[in-house]
């Protein structure tokens, strides 16, 4: 019965979505292609960003103490970092080409503003990361301890610089400044203002914390699996402990920073904030909708759709924004251009709901570690294993909130997405391009998952071999005993 309901629902949604996608033409197809590209790429990019500080720590402890457990952890996670770096490069390069193939008007409009940061990302950050990652992978026995540790730090700096320059570009698209319009082209007038936009610090801190949380859950999940299979392994107990420390610190900080970030969004992009809360009419004492369902299935793609059912907390949005339960909040109906409410609303709730779970999971794990029962709690280990991908899903949901919430603007209040798309791109060309990107990027993602699974399986086999009892040493003459011939040993 449940299967029949799901099949019917999928068929209904497909019947609604297919005409919408086809009628959207090159614009909607180009947006879908870029969304799919960033969905895959962001996983690998955040893997590098989140793993970077852990690799520095493991390398530092290995060099300082000579402990085998830190050498094991460093070797394993450097290989995972390299996998993410290769896949991140393969999936990241086509993204910049799409500015030319799908959005050339945007490239012409904003080229002077975004070209510099993208070049910095490639020449300053990417090559720094690439060169010293080679030292980390192959140089442990070839360079000094100091040089090896310095390489881990430089790789980490490269990964975080790379994210910085990409966020510079996106933050400018959210809150553009530092330019004048010369016809249809944005001409830079203040480079510092164009880089240090009002959104930059909010977005960069939020994104880096998201990557750290996602990787903390990944490390904790892998460590929980190996602890569950190989009870008492010191190296992976250490890994789970460090991951839980990261989680118990970063998840609450992310919640507090996210709350302040939402207030900044309400100040700078009120239509996006109203979509995040499914708030249509400007009013005082605005409630926070915990859940909201449109009246019809078509309402999921209609920005003006009203809700059939909502579960709300009275006056909470007004209080969270202004500290006054009766404060006025601007509704969607005040704006000519609004984003698709349902996607923004549900993405935002998925991100926040997962964030609450991460706070609870971190506190639970820290409590078990404090009790000295980390590897004895099957429920905790299984919860950590099941939560392994959730940090990445929360990050993708947050990115959808940010990007879909800016629609229909490519550059907020300056350039619409519909004005940015190539005028010579046909619907069929866009459709074929989307199909190719879905196939290739989906294939790359599956290859990465397969390679990662093999790494974990190989580590498990290595631990099994180390646990096997060693055969006794062959008996031989002890020093001082007579030789069989009765002579000296």
């Amino acid at each position: 019965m449940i299967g029949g309901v799901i099949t019917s629902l999928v068929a209904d949604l497909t019947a609604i979505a297919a005409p919408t996608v086809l009628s959207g033409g090159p614009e909607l197809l180009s947006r879908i292609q870029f969304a799919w590209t960033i969905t895959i790429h962001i996983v690998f990019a955040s893997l590098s960003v989140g793993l970077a500080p852990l690799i520095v720590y493991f390398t530092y402890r290995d060099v300082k103490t000579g402990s085998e457990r830190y050498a094991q952890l460093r070797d394993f996670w450097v290989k995972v970092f390299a996998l993410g770096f290769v896949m991140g490069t393969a999936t990241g390069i086509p993204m910049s080409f799409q500015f030319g193939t799908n959005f050339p008007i945007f490239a012409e409009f904003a080229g002077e503003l975004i070209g510099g940061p993208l070049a910095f990302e490639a020449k300053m950050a990417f090559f720094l990361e690439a060169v010293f990652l080679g030292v980390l992978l192959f140089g442990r026995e070839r360079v000094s301890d100091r040089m090896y540790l310095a390489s881990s730090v430089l790789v980490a700096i490269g990964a975080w610089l790379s994210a910085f320059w990409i966020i510079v570009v996106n933050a400018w698209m959210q809150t553009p400044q530092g330019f004048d319009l010369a016809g249809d082209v944005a001409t830079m007038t203040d480079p510092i203002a164009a880089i240090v936009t009002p959104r930059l610090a909010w977005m960069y801190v939020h994104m880096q914390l998201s990557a750290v949380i996602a990787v903390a859950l990944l490390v904790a999940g892998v460590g929980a699996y190996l602890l569950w299979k190989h009870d008492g392994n010191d190296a992976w107990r250490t890994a789970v402990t460090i991951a839980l420390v990261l989680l118990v610190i970063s998840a609450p900080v992310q919640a507090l920073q996210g709350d302040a970030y939402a207030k900044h969004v309400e100040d700078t992009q009120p239509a996006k904030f109203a979509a995040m809360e499914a708030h249509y009419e400007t009013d005082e004492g605005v409630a926070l909708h915990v859940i909201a369902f449109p009246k019809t299935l078509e309402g999921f793609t209609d920005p003006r759709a009203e809700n059939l059912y909502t579960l709300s907390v009275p006056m909470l949005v007004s209080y969270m924004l202004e500290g006054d339960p009766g404060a006025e909040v601007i509704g969607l109906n005040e704006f000519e251009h609004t984003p698709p409410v349902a996607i923004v609303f549900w993405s935002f709730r998925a991100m926040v709901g997962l964030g609450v779970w991460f706070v609870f999971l971190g506190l639970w794990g820290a409590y078990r570690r404090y009790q000295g029962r980390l590897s004895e709690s099957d429920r905790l280990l299984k919860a950590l294993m099941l939560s392994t991908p959730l940090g990445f899903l929360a990050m993708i949901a947050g990115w959808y909130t940010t990007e879909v919430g800016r629609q229909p603007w490519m550059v907020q209040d300056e350039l619409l997405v519909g004005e940015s798309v190539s005028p010579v791109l046909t619907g069929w060309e866009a459709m074929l391009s989307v199909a190719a990107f879905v196939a290739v990027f989906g294939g790359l993602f599956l290859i990465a998952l397969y390679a990662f699974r093999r790494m974990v399986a190989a580590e498990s086999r290595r631990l099994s071999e180390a646990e096997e009892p060693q055969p006794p040493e062959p008996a031989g003459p002890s020093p001082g005993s007579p030789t069989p011939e009765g002579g000296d040993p």
Side-chain angles (χ1 to χ4, degrees):
M1 179 178 177
I2 295 176
V5 172
I6 293 175
T7 302
S8 176
L9 180 60
V10 169
D12 288 345
L13 290 174
T14 303
I16 294 168
T20 303
V21 170
L22 292 174
S23 64
E27 176 189 342
L28 182 57
L29 290 167
S30 295
R31 286 168 56 185
I32 291 172
Q33 177 176 303
F34 201 85
W36 171 250
T37 308
I38 191 71
T39 298
I40 301 296
H41 175 71
I42 201 171
V43 172
F44 300 120
S46 58
L47 181 63
S48 298
V49 170
L51 268 179
L54 279 175
I55 287 175
V56 172
Y57 179 75
F58 292 149
T59 305
Y60 169 74
R61 296 293 295 172
D62 172 34
V63 168
K64 184 175 178 61
T65 67
S67 170
E68 182 62 25
R69 75 176 68 176
Y70 292 107
Q72 290 176 21
L73 294 175
R74 186 210 62 231
D75 285 347
F76 180 85
W77 290 110
V78 165
K79 291 174 186 172
V80 176
F81 185 99
L83 174 66
F85 179 79
V86 170
M87 288 298 180
T89 304
T91 56
I93 291 175
M95 290 176 60
S96 56
F97 291 142
Q98 289 179 62
F99 291 146
T101 56
N102 294 69
F103 303 103
I105 308 302
F106 165 69
E108 184 178 356
F109 174 84
E112 190 170 321
L113 279 298
I114 68 173
L118 291 177
F120 282 139
E121 192 274 336
K123 295 184 178 178
M124 179 190 294
F126 174 79
F127 288 114
L128 179 68
E129 197 177 347
V131 169
F132 288 96
L133 177 58
V135 178
L136 277 186
L137 282 170
F138 307 111
R140 185 67 185 100
E141 306 301 327
R142 295 178 172 84
V143 299
S144 67
D145 286 352
R146 183 175 297 179
M147 181 63 201
Y148 196 72
L149 177 59
S151 298
S152 70
V153 174
L154 291 170
V155 166
I157 291 173
W160 282 52
L161 266 180
S162 178
F164 173 80
W165 289 115
I166 297 301
I167 295 295
V168 164
V169 172
N170 193 272
W172 182 82
M173 294 167 68
Q174 307 286 340
T175 53
Q177 64 177 24
F179 69 97
D180 279 336
L181 286 179
D184 294 330
V185 177
T187 304
M188 187 185 299
T189 56
D190 186 343
I192 301 300
I195 292 173
V196 189
T197 55
R199 181 58 52 83
L200 177 63
W202 293 107
M203 183 176 278
Y204 186 65
V205 172
H206 203 67
M207 196 65 202
Q208 302 306 88
L209 281 171
S210 299
V212 169
I213 291 170
V215 167
L217 288 164
L218 176 68
V219 173
V222 172
Y225 170 72
L226 293 172
L227 268 184
W228 182 60
K229 289 197 70 173
H230 308 278
D231 185 30
N233 183 269
D234 287 340
W236 287 101
R237 182 183 290 108
T238 300
V240 174
T241 299
I242 293 170
L244 288 173
V245 169
L246 278 179
L247 190 63
V248 82
I249 294 173
S250 56
V253 171
Q254 179 77 320
L256 295 173
Q257 196 267 351
D259 178 62
Y261 184 5
K263 294 173 183 174
H264 164 75
V265 170
E266 198 274 339
D267 289 337
T268 54
Q269 293 176 300
K272 177 191 289 186
F273 182 83
M276 288 160 59
E277 298 299 337
H279 174 55
Y280 291 89
E281 299 293 340
T282 300
D283 202 356
E284 298 175 351
V286 174
L288 185 145
H289 297 319
V290 179
I291 56 175
F293 290 102
K295 287 184 176 179
T296 61
L297 286 177
E298 289 85 351
F300 282 101
T301 58
D302 180 4
R304 303 286 179 178
E306 295 185 358
N307 298 314
L308 174 67
Y309 173 76
T310 59
L311 175 62
S312 308
V313 181
M315 297 184 283
L316 187 55
V317 169
S318 292
Y319 180 77
M320 289 172 66
L321 284 177
E322 305 293 341
D324 176 7
E328 182 181 271
V329 179
I330 300 173
L332 277 167
N333 289 340
E334 301 291 333
F335 301 97
E336 179 185 359
H337 299 293
T338 56
V341 176
I343 296 174
V344 180
F345 178 85
W346 288 114
S347 298
F348 182 61
R349 268 141 192 81
M351 178 187 67
V352 172
L354 287 170
V356 172
W357 167 246
F358 300 157
V359 173
F360 172 76
L361 189 61
L363 292 174
W364 181 15
Y367 178 65
R368 287 299 189 195
R369 183 66 184 84
Y370 173 75
Q371 290 181 315
R373 298 173 56 194
L374 187 61
S375 57
E376 299 169 11
S377 176
D378 278 354
R379 285 185 181 178
L380 174 62
L381 294 181
K382 289 176 182 175
L384 290 173
M385 283 186 265
L386 291 173
S387 299
T388 301
L390 296 186
F392 294 103
L393 293 179
M395 179 184 305
I396 291 170
W399 195 256
Y400 285 175
T401 304
T402 299
E403 293 303 292
V404 179
R406 195 187 60 233
Q407 301 300 319
W409 296 103
M410 177 68 92
V411 180
Q412 184 71 45
D413 299 327
E414 300 292 344
L415 182 68
L416 291 165
V417 174
E419 300 169 345
S420 310
V421 178
S422 170
V424 299
L425 185 66
T426 67
W428 280 110
E429 289 170 343
M431 179 68 79
L432 289 174
S433 180
V434 170
F437 269 88
V438 168
V440 173
F441 274 55
L444 287 173
F445 189 72
L446 292 177
I447 290 171
L449 281 182
Y450 177 72
F452 181 67
R453 181 175 176 276
R454 284 181 62 90
M455 288 180 184
V456 175
E459 177 67 8
S460 183
R461 282 196 302 274
R462 189 188 67 77
L463 295 177
S464 296
E465 291 169 2
E467 292 165 359
E468 290 177 357
Q470 299 297 313
E473 293 290 332
S478 60
S481 62
T483 60
E485 290 79 13
D488 294 332

Short mmCIF file of all heavy atoms in Angstrom, two decimals, residues 370-408:
data_model
loop_
_atom_site.label_atom_id
_atom_site.label_comp_id
_atom_site.label_asym_id
_atom_site.label_seq_id
_atom_site.Cartn_x
_atom_site.Cartn_y
_atom_site.Cartn_z
N TYR A 370 33.19 10.97 28.33
CA TYR A 370 33.51 11.36 29.72
C TYR A 370 33.32 10.17 30.67
O TYR A 370 34.09 10.00 31.61
CB TYR A 370 32.59 12.51 30.12
CG TYR A 370 32.70 12.90 31.58
CD1 TYR A 370 33.81 13.63 32.04
CD2 TYR A 370 31.71 12.54 32.49
CE1 TYR A 370 33.91 13.98 33.38
CE2 TYR A 370 31.81 12.88 33.82
CZ TYR A 370 32.91 13.60 34.26
OH TYR A 370 33.02 13.94 35.59
N GLN A 371 32.32 9.33 30.39
CA GLN A 371 32.09 8.14 31.20
C GLN A 371 33.10 7.03 30.92
O GLN A 371 33.13 6.04 31.66
CB GLN A 371 30.68 7.58 30.94
CG GLN A 371 29.54 8.43 31.48
CD GLN A 371 28.20 7.77 31.20
OE1 GLN A 371 27.95 7.29 30.09
NE2 GLN A 371 27.35 7.74 32.21
N GLY A 372 33.87 7.19 29.86
CA GLY A 372 34.81 6.14 29.46
C GLY A 372 34.12 4.96 28.82
O GLY A 372 34.64 3.84 28.84
N ARG A 373 32.93 5.18 28.21
CA ARG A 373 32.15 4.10 27.61
C ARG A 373 31.89 4.35 26.13
O ARG A 373 30.84 3.97 25.61
CB ARG A 373 30.83 3.95 28.36
CG ARG A 373 31.00 3.59 29.83
CD ARG A 373 29.67 3.62 30.55
NE ARG A 373 28.68 2.77 29.93
CZ ARG A 373 27.38 2.81 30.20
NH1 ARG A 373 26.92 3.71 31.05
NH2 ARG A 373 26.54 2.00 29.60
N LEU A 374 32.84 4.96 25.48
CA LEU A 374 32.63 5.34 24.08
C LEU A 374 32.41 4.11 23.19
O LEU A 374 31.47 4.05 22.41
CB LEU A 374 33.84 6.13 23.58
CG LEU A 374 33.72 6.75 22.19
CD1 LEU A 374 32.57 7.73 22.13
CD2 LEU A 374 35.02 7.45 21.82
N SER A 375 33.29 3.13 23.31
CA SER A 375 33.19 1.97 22.43
C SER A 375 32.23 0.92 22.94
O SER A 375 31.98 -0.09 22.27
CB SER A 375 34.58 1.34 22.24
OG SER A 375 35.13 0.99 23.49
N GLU A 376 31.65 1.14 24.13
CA GLU A 376 30.70 0.15 24.68
C GLU A 376 29.26 0.50 24.35
O GLU A 376 28.36 -0.31 24.57
CB GLU A 376 30.87 0.08 26.21
CG GLU A 376 32.25 -0.36 26.65
CD GLU A 376 32.44 -0.16 28.15
OE1 GLU A 376 31.45 0.10 28.85
OE2 GLU A 376 33.59 -0.27 28.61
N SER A 377 29.02 1.71 23.85
CA SER A 377 27.65 2.15 23.57
C SER A 377 27.29 1.85 22.12
O SER A 377 27.61 2.62 21.22
CB SER A 377 27.51 3.65 23.86
OG SER A 377 26.21 4.09 23.50
N ASP A 378 26.62 0.70 21.90
CA ASP A 378 26.25 0.33 20.53
C ASP A 378 25.31 1.36 19.90
O ASP A 378 25.41 1.66 18.71
CB ASP A 378 25.57 -1.03 20.54
CG ASP A 378 26.59 -2.16 20.57
OD1 ASP A 378 27.80 -1.86 20.47
OD2 ASP A 378 26.20 -3.33 20.72
N ARG A 379 24.38 1.91 20.72
CA ARG A 379 23.45 2.90 20.16
C ARG A 379 24.18 4.14 19.66
O ARG A 379 23.86 4.67 18.59
CB ARG A 379 22.43 3.31 21.23
CG ARG A 379 21.37 2.26 21.50
CD ARG A 379 20.32 2.78 22.46
NE ARG A 379 19.31 1.78 22.74
CZ ARG A 379 18.30 1.96 23.58
NH1 ARG A 379 18.18 3.11 24.23
NH2 ARG A 379 17.42 1.01 23.77
N LEU A 380 25.14 4.61 20.43
CA LEU A 380 25.90 5.79 20.01
C LEU A 380 26.69 5.47 18.75
O LEU A 380 26.71 6.27 17.79
CB LEU A 380 26.84 6.25 21.12
CG LEU A 380 27.78 7.39 20.73
CD1 LEU A 380 27.01 8.65 20.37
CD2 LEU A 380 28.77 7.68 21.87
N LEU A 381 27.37 4.33 18.72
CA LEU A 381 28.18 3.98 17.55
C LEU A 381 27.29 3.87 16.30
O LEU A 381 27.66 4.35 15.22
CB LEU A 381 28.91 2.66 17.79
CG LEU A 381 29.99 2.69 18.89
CD1 LEU A 381 30.66 1.33 19.02
CD2 LEU A 381 31.05 3.76 18.62
N LYS A 382 26.10 3.26 16.46
CA LYS A 382 25.20 3.14 15.30
C LYS A 382 24.67 4.52 14.89
O LYS A 382 24.53 4.80 13.69
CB LYS A 382 24.04 2.21 15.64
CG LYS A 382 24.47 0.75 15.75
CD LYS A 382 23.32 -0.14 16.19
CE LYS A 382 23.79 -1.59 16.34
NZ LYS A 382 22.72 -2.47 16.87
N ALA A 383 24.39 5.38 15.87
CA ALA A 383 23.93 6.74 15.53
C ALA A 383 25.01 7.50 14.79
O ALA A 383 24.72 8.23 13.82
CB ALA A 383 23.54 7.49 16.81
N LEU A 384 26.26 7.34 15.20
CA LEU A 384 27.36 8.01 14.50
C LEU A 384 27.51 7.47 13.08
O LEU A 384 27.74 8.23 12.14
CB LEU A 384 28.66 7.83 15.29
CG LEU A 384 28.75 8.60 16.62
CD1 LEU A 384 30.01 8.20 17.38
CD2 LEU A 384 28.72 10.10 16.40
N MET A 385 27.38 6.15 12.94
CA MET A 385 27.50 5.57 11.60
C MET A 385 26.39 6.08 10.67
O MET A 385 26.64 6.45 9.52
CB MET A 385 27.44 4.04 11.69
CG MET A 385 28.74 3.40 12.18
SD MET A 385 28.67 1.59 12.10
CE MET A 385 28.16 1.19 13.76
N LEU A 386 25.15 6.10 11.19
CA LEU A 386 24.03 6.56 10.36
C LEU A 386 24.12 8.05 10.05
O LEU A 386 23.57 8.52 9.05
CB LEU A 386 22.70 6.26 11.08
CG LEU A 386 22.33 4.78 11.19
CD1 LEU A 386 21.10 4.60 12.07
CD2 LEU A 386 22.08 4.18 9.81
N SER A 387 24.81 8.79 10.90
CA SER A 387 24.92 10.25 10.71
C SER A 387 26.09 10.63 9.81
O SER A 387 26.30 11.83 9.56
CB SER A 387 25.08 10.95 12.06
OG SER A 387 23.96 10.70 12.89
N THR A 388 26.84 9.65 9.32
CA THR A 388 28.05 9.94 8.52
C THR A 388 27.80 10.93 7.38
O THR A 388 28.56 11.89 7.21
CB THR A 388 28.64 8.64 7.97
OG1 THR A 388 28.95 7.78 9.07
CG2 THR A 388 29.90 8.90 7.16
N PRO A 389 26.74 10.78 6.56
CA PRO A 389 26.57 11.72 5.43
C PRO A 389 25.75 12.96 5.77
O PRO A 389 25.60 13.83 4.92
CB PRO A 389 25.82 10.86 4.40
CG PRO A 389 24.96 9.95 5.23
CD PRO A 389 25.73 9.69 6.52
N LEU A 390 25.22 13.04 6.99
CA LEU A 390 24.24 14.09 7.27
C LEU A 390 24.84 15.50 7.25
O LEU A 390 24.16 16.48 6.94
CB LEU A 390 23.55 13.84 8.61
CG LEU A 390 22.71 12.55 8.69
CD1 LEU A 390 21.96 12.49 10.01
CD2 LEU A 390 21.73 12.46 7.52
N GLY A 391 26.11 15.62 7.62
CA GLY A 391 26.74 16.95 7.58
C GLY A 391 26.79 17.50 6.16
O GLY A 391 26.56 18.70 5.94
N PHE A 392 27.09 16.64 5.19
CA PHE A 392 27.12 17.08 3.80
C PHE A 392 25.71 17.42 3.30
O PHE A 392 25.53 18.37 2.55
CB PHE A 392 27.76 16.00 2.92
CG PHE A 392 29.21 15.77 3.23
CD1 PHE A 392 29.61 14.67 3.96
CD2 PHE A 392 30.18 16.67 2.80
CE1 PHE A 392 30.95 14.47 4.26
CE2 PHE A 392 31.52 16.48 3.09
CZ PHE A 392 31.91 15.37 3.83
N LEU A 393 24.72 16.63 3.74
CA LEU A 393 23.34 16.92 3.33
C LEU A 393 22.89 18.27 3.90
O LEU A 393 22.20 19.05 3.23
CB LEU A 393 22.40 15.81 3.79
CG LEU A 393 22.60 14.45 3.11
CD1 LEU A 393 21.62 13.42 3.67
CD2 LEU A 393 22.40 14.57 1.60
N ALA A 394 23.25 18.55 5.16
CA ALA A 394 22.89 19.83 5.76
C ALA A 394 23.55 20.98 4.99
O ALA A 394 22.93 22.04 4.77
CB ALA A 394 23.32 19.86 7.23
N MET A 395 24.80 20.78 4.57
CA MET A 395 25.49 21.83 3.82
C MET A 395 24.82 22.09 2.47
O MET A 395 24.62 23.24 2.07
CB MET A 395 26.95 21.42 3.60
CG MET A 395 27.75 22.43 2.82
SD MET A 395 29.39 21.84 2.51
CE MET A 395 29.92 21.47 4.15
N ILE A 396 24.44 21.02 1.78
CA ILE A 396 23.76 21.18 0.49
C ILE A 396 22.42 21.89 0.69
O ILE A 396 22.05 22.78 -0.09
CB ILE A 396 23.57 19.80 -0.17
CG1 ILE A 396 24.94 19.24 -0.59
CG2 ILE A 396 22.64 19.90 -1.37
CD1 ILE A 396 24.91 17.79 -1.03
N ALA A 397 21.68 21.52 1.74
CA ALA A 397 20.40 22.19 2.02
C ALA A 397 20.62 23.68 2.29
O ALA A 397 19.86 24.53 1.81
CB ALA A 397 19.72 21.53 3.21
N GLY A 398 21.67 24.00 3.03
CA GLY A 398 21.97 25.40 3.29
C GLY A 398 22.36 26.15 2.02
O GLY A 398 21.98 27.32 1.83
N TRP A 399 23.09 25.48 1.13
CA TRP A 399 23.48 26.12 -0.13
C TRP A 399 22.26 26.38 -1.00
O TRP A 399 22.16 27.41 -1.66
CB TRP A 399 24.52 25.25 -0.85
CG TRP A 399 25.22 25.99 -1.94
CD1 TRP A 399 25.02 25.88 -3.28
CD2 TRP A 399 26.24 27.00 -1.79
NE1 TRP A 399 25.84 26.74 -3.97
CE2 TRP A 399 26.60 27.43 -3.07
CE3 TRP A 399 26.87 27.56 -0.68
CZ2 TRP A 399 27.56 28.41 -3.29
CZ3 TRP A 399 27.82 28.53 -0.90
CH2 TRP A 399 28.17 28.94 -2.19
N TYR A 400 21.30 25.43 -1.01
CA TYR A 400 20.06 25.64 -1.77
C TYR A 400 19.30 26.84 -1.20
O TYR A 400 18.74 27.64 -1.96
CB TYR A 400 19.17 24.40 -1.69
CG TYR A 400 19.64 23.24 -2.54
CD1 TYR A 400 18.98 22.03 -2.50
CD2 TYR A 400 20.73 23.35 -3.39
CE1 TYR A 400 19.39 20.94 -3.26
CE2 TYR A 400 21.16 22.29 -4.16
CZ TYR A 400 20.49 21.09 -4.10
OH TYR A 400 20.91 20.03 -4.85
N THR A 401 19.27 26.96 0.13
CA THR A 401 18.59 28.10 0.74
C THR A 401 19.22 29.41 0.25
O THR A 401 18.52 30.36 -0.10
CB THR A 401 18.68 28.03 2.27
OG1 THR A 401 18.14 26.78 2.71
CG2 THR A 401 17.93 29.16 2.93
N THR A 402 20.55 29.43 0.23
CA THR A 402 21.26 30.64 -0.19
C THR A 402 21.04 30.97 -1.66
O THR A 402 20.74 32.11 -2.02
CB THR A 402 22.77 30.47 0.07
OG1 THR A 402 22.96 30.27 1.47
CG2 THR A 402 23.55 31.68 -0.37
N GLU A 403 21.17 29.96 -2.52
CA GLU A 403 21.15 30.22 -3.96
C GLU A 403 19.74 30.32 -4.52
O GLU A 403 19.45 31.22 -5.30
CB GLU A 403 21.93 29.12 -4.69
CG GLU A 403 23.41 29.13 -4.38
CD GLU A 403 24.03 30.48 -4.71
OE1 GLU A 403 24.12 30.83 -5.89
OE2 GLU A 403 24.40 31.20 -3.77
N VAL A 404 18.85 29.41 -4.13
CA VAL A 404 17.47 29.49 -4.61
C VAL A 404 16.79 30.72 -4.00
O VAL A 404 15.97 31.36 -4.64
CB VAL A 404 16.71 28.19 -4.28
CG1 VAL A 404 15.27 28.30 -4.77
CG2 VAL A 404 17.38 26.99 -4.92
N GLY A 405 17.16 31.05 -2.78
CA GLY A 405 16.57 32.21 -2.13
C GLY A 405 16.92 33.52 -2.82
O GLY A 405 16.23 34.53 -2.63
N ARG A 406 18.00 33.56 -3.61
CA ARG A 406 18.37 34.78 -4.35
C ARG A 406 17.58 34.92 -5.65
O ARG A 406 17.56 35.99 -6.27
CB ARG A 406 19.87 34.76 -4.66
CG ARG A 406 20.42 36.11 -5.08
CD ARG A 406 21.87 36.00 -5.54
NE ARG A 406 22.02 35.13 -6.67
CZ ARG A 406 22.87 34.10 -6.73
NH1 ARG A 406 23.65 33.84 -5.71
NH2 ARG A 406 22.94 33.32 -7.79
N GLN A 407 16.95 33.85 -6.11
CA GLN A 407 16.21 33.88 -7.37
C GLN A 407 15.08 34.91 -7.31
O GLN A 407 14.51 35.14 -6.24
CB GLN A 407 15.66 32.48 -7.67
CG GLN A 407 16.72 31.41 -7.78
CD GLN A 407 17.71 31.70 -8.89
OE1 GLN A 407 17.32 32.14 -9.97
NE2 GLN A 407 18.98 31.47 -8.63
N PRO A 408 14.76 35.54 -8.42
CA PRO A 408 15.27 35.27 -9.78
C PRO A 408 16.49 36.11 -10.14
O PRO A 408 16.79 36.26 -11.32
CB PRO A 408 14.08 35.68 -10.65
CG PRO A 408 13.49 36.84 -9.91
CD PRO A 408 13.66 36.52 -8.44
#
